[in-house]
Amino acid sequence: MQAKAALSVVSYLIISLLLTLHNKMVLQWHQFGFPWLVTAVHSLGGIIGMQLLVASGHFTPTRLDYSQKRLLWIFSALYTVNIAVSNVSLHYVSVPLHQVVRGTVPVFTVLISLAWRTTAGYSWRVYASLAPVVVGVGLATYGDYYSFSVAGFLLTLLGTVLAATKTVVTNSILVGGYRLKLSALDLLYQLCPLALVQTLAWAAVTGELTDAWAFVQALRSSDSADGVYPLATALVANGAIAFVLNVASFTASKNTSALAMTVTGNVKVVLAVVLGCVLFSVRLSGLSTLGCVLTIAGGAAYSAVRLSEAPRVPKSVV
């Protein structure tokens, strides 16, 4: 069981890094600066992927009653609002400040888990292992904290709380208090259509649909190499990677804890910084390097603590 949990978390981490880098390629290299439509592509990739699994006989969806569907509708709204608040907050604060605040997600995960009584508590060693993670992310993303505003800070903080809440609820739906007894694929099958509708609606409200249509028309009328077909290929690949990531994410959530997922997310932030430096020729400062080391060390310390406590602590208390 421990090996299965470790494998699912590592797989999620690798695929998540791949999607982050591919998203950067789509948004910047192809100049497709429409994050909500990219999110819609992710949801569409999930729908197509799940339908292929159903058609091939590798997956049979669970039939849900009205109360279970209503719970999933609420969860899908939480998922969409979480992305919306995160995107809006980036308009008011710098990326470094945004990442530092988001680095406190494990803290809010602990608080929410305790408040909702989804855990009986954590040992002092778990709390101690979180300290270098939070501090490390802060140092790794340290920079010029310009464009600061109270509204932006509050929105970023709200997005952080929502991200922690989503992680705890995901874990509860799969293995915890809500006890829907859904597999990772079942949750993905039910959520993707709802997420697609919500993200397309938000794209329409914000004007992304209109702007994207104008962008595509401009590409079609141009003679540049970066035309419609390379962009379409990149979007198809992006949707496919997102589908694999969703499967890996929900599988990892089922096989491990909410807190482990948030710590893994922080480790992913630092690894993304390192890979970004390698791929895009960016030099890390000494302070940022120290932050990377602290965050990775904190993630390793958390894993070691949970492994040592596993024989004494049941999975539901993770």
Side-chain angles (χ1 to χ4, degrees), residues 13 25 47 49 55 67 69 115 118 123 159 163 171 207 214 226 228 240 250 263 311:
L13 179 61
M25 181 189 74
I47 294 173
S67 62
K69 289 182 179 180
T118 60
S123 69
N171 189 258
D226 297 326
V228 175
F250 287 127
V263 173

Side-chain angles (χ1 to χ4, degrees), residues 185-227:
L185 293 180
D186 264 316
L187 188 56
L188 185 60
Y189 178 84
Q190 299 290 342
L191 286 179
C192 281
L194 297 173
L196 177 63
V197 172
Q198 292 164 354
T199 50
L200 285 178
W202 185 258
V205 170
T206 59
E208 270 199 16
L209 280 176
T210 303
D211 294 340
W213 177 254
F215 175 77
V216 171
Q217 292 303 311
L219 281 181
R220 292 181 61 186
S221 61
S222 68
D223 296 327
S224 64
D226 297 326

Side-chain angles (χ1 to χ4, degrees), residues 113-136:
S113 297
L114 293 174
W116 286 0
R117 298 182 180 179
T118 60
T119 176
Y122 299 96
S123 69
W124 68 268
R125 295 195 299 166
V126 170
Y127 295 113
S129 69
L130 292 177
V133 172
V134 176
V135 174

Side-chain angles (χ1 to χ4, degrees), residues 9-82:
V9 170
V10 171
S11 299
Y12 163 73
L13 179 61
I14 294 174
I15 300 169
S16 179
L17 281 170
L18 177 61
L19 184 62
T20 297
L21 296 175
H22 200 270
N23 282 341
K24 183 178 180 65
M25 181 189 74
V26 170
L27 293 172
Q28 294 190 12
W29 292 358
H30 290 277
Q31 299 181 342
F32 192 76
F34 309 104
W36 277 105
L37 290 180
V38 172
T39 306
V41 169
H42 294 174
S43 301
L44 181 60
I47 294 173
I48 295 174
M50 292 309 304
Q51 291 301 323
L52 289 175
L53 290 180
V54 171
S56 63
H58 288 86
F59 170 70
T60 302
T62 301
R63 296 180 64 88
L64 303 179
D65 58 32
Y66 176 75
S67 62
Q68 292 173 319
K69 289 182 179 180
R70 184 175 59 182
L71 178 60
L72 287 178
W73 292 339
I74 295 173
F75 176 71
S76 69
L78 172 63
Y79 169 80
T80 303
V81 171
N82 171 48

Side-chain angles (χ1 to χ4, degrees), residues 79-94:
Y79 169 80
T80 303
V81 171
N82 171 48
I83 297 176
V85 172
S86 178
N87 287 343
V88 172
S89 65
L90 278 171
H91 288 288
Y92 296 97
V93 300
S94 65

Side-chain angles (χ1 to χ4, degrees), residues 15 25-26 55 65 82 99 110 169 182 207 212 231 269 273 284 296 310:
I15 300 169
M25 181 189 74
V26 170
D65 58 32
N82 171 48
Q99 290 299 311
V110 168
V169 172
L182 291 177
L231 173 62
V269 169
V273 171
L284 275 177
I296 295 174

Side-chain angles (χ1 to χ4, degrees), residues 301-318:
Y302 169 78
S303 299
V305 169
R306 297 311 303 142
L307 183 62
S308 66
E309 295 181 350
R312 297 182 291 106
V313 181
K315 183 177 175 59
S316 60
V317 184
V318 175

